[in-house]
Amino acid sequence: MSKFKQEILPGGMINQPGSSKDYKTGLWRTKRPVWDKDKCTQCGLCVNYCPENCIFFKKGKRGETNFDYCKGCLICERVCPVGAISSKQEEKF
Ligand code: SF4
Ligand code: SF4
């Protein structure tokens, strides 16, 4: 086996528990959700459905999206009952 091959770590392994915060999965995003505060009724659906847990309630109000971890799946846009979330292309793409 060449030296190069020996240095490749096996994929899909978590070497340290509790390390997910170290991996900023927002870098994967090609689309960005855009939240319209004025249309938002604070129903909480986007908070509950976000698979990355990057939308929070703070003091009873929906807070800004944490783009360090938002992957741009746009489930939040799909579930919002009042159209308070739209999406746009990430500028880096
Ligand atoms: S786009 Fe996906 S990951 Fe980002 S805030 Fe919406 S539901 Fe969460
Ligand atoms: S789903 Fe829409 S209306 Fe409900 S909290 Fe989220 S942005 Fe606001």
Side-chain angles (χ1 to χ4, degrees):
M1 189 180 289
S2 76
K3 184 174 182 276
F4 176 72
K5 283 185 180 171
Q6 286 173 340
E7 289 171 356
I8 295 175
L9 291 172
M13 290 185 70
I14 297 168
N15 296 319
Q16 223 179 351
S19 61
S20 62
K21 284 188 175 172
D22 298 337
Y23 298 98
K24 300 205 169 166
T25 48
L27 294 171
W28 303 359
R29 191 177 55 248
T30 57
K31 297 261 186 163
R32 171 178 285 249
V34 180
W35 176 46
D36 184 337
K37 286 181 192 170
D38 296 331
K39 281 190 188 170
C40 178
T41 60
Q42 306 293 332
C43 72
L45 279 178
C46 59
V47 176
N48 290 332
Y49 275 88
C50 175
E52 298 301 319
N53 208 18
C54 54
I55 311 172
F56 294 91
F57 268 109
K58 287 180 187 163
K59 297 180 182 170
K61 297 269 185 189
R62 183 211 193 270
E64 297 288 343
T65 304
N66 183 342
F67 285 107
D68 281 348
Y69 301 101
C70 167
K71 288 182 186 154
C73 68
L74 302 179
I75 290 172
C76 54
E77 181 184 23
R78 179 70 71 92
V79 298
C80 180
V82 295
I85 302 174
S86 57
S87 56
K88 68 176 187 180
Q89 190 78 17
E90 275 293 347
E91 288 174 14
K92 63 188 173 187
F93 293 100

